[in-house]
Amino acid sequence: MWLASWKHVVLVLWMIHHRICYGNGESRDLYYRIKSPCSLLELNNERGRVIIKAWEKQHIKICVHKYGAYSARQLAKLSVHMRKTGDTLLVESIWRASRRNSDTAHVEYFIRIPTHLDTRVTMQSGSIKLCGARGTHTLRTSNGTVIGKHLGDVDAITSNGEIVLEDVRNVTAQTSHAWLVVNGARNTHVSTPQVGIVLKAIRGYWQAETNCGPISVEHSAGSGTAQTLCGDIVVKDCVGINTVSTCRGNIEIVNSQHTTGNTLNGEVVKSGELERLPSLEASRSFILTN
């Protein structure tokens, strides 16, 4: 009897939470097809998710999913505005209601763009995923991840979310309280106050900075610097002229004869072959999918 009552209380609490967070479940789907040519897609969205994928077609397809308002009437006040100025297509989520009600509304964008198009995405909260667009991309969000694959130049900033980039041209990236991973890039400048950084297959100049977290650099042909105040550093199979330093942590240099390591409180171990697996390598696994 007591167990049945407890289950009833849990169910009621879940229903209240679901209604507060997601409203009455009302949603709206909108579809747009932009045929006029443009070189820049600028997207402003407060909360939700943005997924952008490139294709061989020369027009833009935008699918919008609105949800989370208290009622269908409130949801109708959340609109999507589009305006083309010159070569720029501006897409905005606009809420015409009180701030209290707007805090529950979300907009998800699923967009297809030509491969050459540049993008500029600005969000207050939510994740961004971008694939296959070889243009220049400026990505800004918080409380959400940034994932990119097969891109041109990327300038990404988020907080409380990971940044994972693979096969990009030039990278400038910054996050906090989450991992920052770049696998395959030319010039790279990345930083995070906490957690850690993983760089792989960097062809040009690279720079990695963190206040509290480990740094791993592997299979990189370019030269660079890595600096952390509190964390270990691993440099493996790198041919460039590199300088890495930490205040409190160990440094392991494997098959990277032109790398110099400095630590104030720890050890610097340099070897010509892999004697043991770095602890950082086993700490996290990142898999990107289309």
Side-chain angles (χ1 to χ4, degrees):
M1 182 68 180
W2 180 86
L3 183 60
S5 300
W6 176 248
K7 288 182 177 180
H8 178 73
V9 171
V10 172
L11 178 60
V12 171
L13 291 176
W14 178 86
M15 293 175 64
I16 293 174
H17 169 77
H18 183 79
R19 186 168 183 84
I20 291 175
C21 294
Y22 303 103
N24 62 355
E26 292 284 344
S27 64
R28 293 290 185 273
D29 292 322
L30 306 172
Y31 302 91
Y32 305 90
R33 179 171 175 169
I34 312 300
K35 294 184 179 181
S36 58
C38 59
S39 59
L40 172 64
L41 170 65
E42 183 174 353
L43 173 61
N44 298 327
N45 186 30
E46 288 196 12
R47 287 167 306 280
R49 180 175 57 156
V50 173
I51 298 177
I52 302 175
K53 293 186 178 182
W55 60 358
E56 296 302 323
K57 300 179 182 180
Q58 296 305 308
H59 67 272
I60 301 173
K61 180 182 178 182
I62 302 176
C63 300
V64 181
H65 178 65
K66 305 189 301 179
Y67 66 97
Y70 286 108
S71 65
R73 184 177 179 182
Q74 291 287 345
L75 193 66
K77 294 182 179 180
L78 176 58
S79 61
V80 175
H81 287 194
M82 297 187 184
R83 182 175 71 252
K84 189 172 183 299
T85 304
D87 292 333
T88 300
L89 174 64
L90 175 62
V91 182
E92 294 182 292
S93 303
I94 298 179
W95 182 264
R96 304 186 310 276
S98 66
R99 186 66 187 178
R100 175 180 175 274
N101 291 332
S102 67
D103 287 342
T104 66
H106 294 72
V107 183
E108 292 184 340
Y109 286 90
F110 304 89
I111 304 176
R112 288 280 197 173
I113 63 173
T115 56
H116 66 275
L117 202 67
D118 299 335
T119 66
R120 183 161 58 233
V121 180
T122 303
M123 299 175 58
Q124 290 187 3
S125 179
S127 63
I128 301 173
K129 184 175 182 180
L130 186 59
C131 296
R134 292 298 184 177
T136 299
H137 310 286
T138 303
L139 311 174
R140 299 288 186 270
T141 187
S142 62
N143 301 312
T145 61
V146 176
I147 298 177
K149 189 174 183 180
H150 306 317
L151 306 175
D153 295 344
V154 177
D155 181 356
I157 297 178
T158 184
S159 60
N160 302 315
E162 296 173 346
I163 296 180
V164 182
L165 302 172
E166 181 176 338
D167 183 25
V168 295
R169 194 162 53 213
N170 298 307
V171 176
T172 300
Q174 179 181 343
T175 186
S176 61
H177 308 290
W179 283 82
L180 202 159
V181 181
V182 179
N183 185 0
R186 190 184 299 166
N187 300 312
T188 303
H189 184 187
V190 295
S191 63
T192 176
Q194 298 182 5
V195 192
I197 295 173
V198 176
L199 300 181
K200 294 183 179 181
I202 308 301
R203 301 183 300 275
Y205 178 77
W206 57 268
Q207 183 175 354
E209 300 173 353
T210 179
N211 291 334
C212 183
I215 298 176
S216 175
V217 185
E218 297 184 10
H219 305 288
S220 295
S223 301
T225 61
Q227 181 176 357
T228 177
L229 295 179
C230 181
D232 297 337
I233 299 178
V234 175
V235 180
K236 175 185 173 185
D237 298 328
C238 296
V239 300
I241 302 174
N242 310 309
T243 302
V244 299
S245 61
T246 177
C247 291
R248 295 184 299 276
N250 299 320
I251 296 176
E252 183 173 6
I253 302 172
V254 181
N255 292 332
S256 307
Q257 61 178 342
H258 300 299
T259 297
T260 303
N262 300 289
T263 179
L264 296 179
N265 188 5
E267 294 182 347
V268 178
V269 178
K270 196 167 185 178
S271 62
E273 61 181 3
L274 184 61
E275 299 174 352
R276 63 180 178 83
L277 291 176
S279 58
L280 176 62
E281 180 69 16
S283 63
R284 187 99 189 206
S285 176
F286 296 90
I287 300 177
L288 285 180
T289 61
N290 289 326

